[in-house]
Amino acid sequence: MTAALVDVPPDEWIELVDVPDDESRARLLRLGLLDGRVECRRRIRNGSVVVRRRGTEVALGRSLARDITVERAGRDGERR
């Protein structure tokens, strides 16, 4: 099932499947967020979404998180 990153609840495991532009895609790829499961940690009051992968947490702005399409994944790595 796909959704926008901004709509994912905290503590949910996801995979980023579509990023809106090449610059954002390149940044997320360099951070290692595009090649596996990512945990949605929390939503910050201003609308940013914090995601974590391999111990690194990154806050993505609300407008970017709204445009990123994700697929939910279980803890075992299987997509739901």
Side-chain angles (χ1 to χ4, degrees), residues 39-64:
E39 183 182 8
C40 180
R41 296 289 292 165
R42 63 184 169 273
R43 285 186 254 180
I44 299 174
R45 181 173 290 177
N46 69 1
S48 297
V49 177
V50 178
V51 295
R52 180 173 72 177
R53 174 115 198 265
R54 296 183 182 149
T56 300
E57 290 189 352
V58 176
L60 302 174
R62 182 173 177 77
S63 62
L64 178 59

Side-chain angles (χ1 to χ4, degrees):
M1 177 171 141
T2 61
L5 176 57
V6 75
D7 296 326
V8 176
D11 299 321
E12 185 88 22
W13 287 89
I14 55 172
E15 288 189 37
L16 307 181
V17 294
D18 187 43
V19 180
D21 62 79
D22 292 337
E23 185 177 333
S24 296
R25 176 175 284 288
R27 285 181 184 164
L28 295 173
L29 185 60
R30 283 192 299 270
L31 292 169
L33 297 176
L34 295 182
D35 61 348
R37 294 181 315 132
V38 176
E39 183 182 8
C40 180
R41 296 289 292 165
R42 63 184 169 273
R43 285 186 254 180
I44 299 174
R45 181 173 290 177
N46 69 1
S48 297
V49 177
V50 178
V51 295
R52 180 173 72 177
R53 174 115 198 265
R54 296 183 182 149
T56 300
E57 290 189 352
V58 176
L60 302 174
R62 182 173 177 77
S63 62
L64 178 59
R66 191 179 317 128
D67 293 338
I68 294 175
T69 303
V70 301
E71 208 165 275
R72 296 181 184 192
R75 286 202 170 268
D76 58 2
E78 300 220 1
R79 291 181 176 175
R80 292 186 196 176

